Amino acid sequence: KIGAGSLGKFSCVALAGISMEYIAYGFAEGGVADVRQLDGMLRALAFSQKKSDSEVRWAVLNTIGILRRHEGVVRALSGRMAAGASVGECVRLIEENLSEDV
């Protein structure tokens, strides 16, 4: 069984791309497949369409808030990724710059 906390975290990760696109450009054209995939998973967990839609909205809003709150880390991470940093280096950057209240 998936707990509410785990489901919320998974939903935020699943929609991080579309959330970042919205922050960067003010709109999001991509991510339809991500939303559909998450919606399909929620429906498979017996969520009603209304409850699934609510979870998707919550995840997008929550993820946008997290990304905005940690904008400096997001920019630093983007720079490191563009420079070809390894996954380990990127994880280290995140861990060294985020507090426990993510």
Side-chain angles (χ1 to χ4, degrees), residues 1-95:
K1 184 173 179 176
I2 298 174
S6 294
L7 180 61
K9 289 174 184 176
F10 176 83
S11 298
C12 289
V13 170
L15 301 178
I18 195 171
S19 300
M20 193 63 224
E21 186 178 349
Y22 175 78
I23 290 170
Y25 304 110
F27 60 92
E29 290 181 354
V32 174
D34 296 336
V35 172
R36 284 188 183 146
Q37 186 175 20
L38 178 58
D39 184 61
M41 186 196 76
L42 295 170
R43 300 285 284 155
L45 292 171
F47 278 51
S48 67
Q49 189 62 56
K50 183 177 179 179
K51 189 170 179 179
S52 177
D53 291 347
S54 179
E55 177 70 19
V56 168
R57 275 191 301 275
W58 173 86
V60 169
L61 292 173
N62 190 54
T63 304
I64 288 171
I66 291 168
L67 291 169
R68 283 184 173 157
R69 186 172 347 126
H70 300 288
E71 183 178 355
V73 178
V74 171
R75 288 182 190 274
L77 179 60
S78 177
R80 290 263 179 98
M81 291 172 72
S86 69
V87 172
E89 291 169 320
C90 291
V91 169
R92 188 175 324 113
L93 172 79
I94 293 167
E95 289 176 342

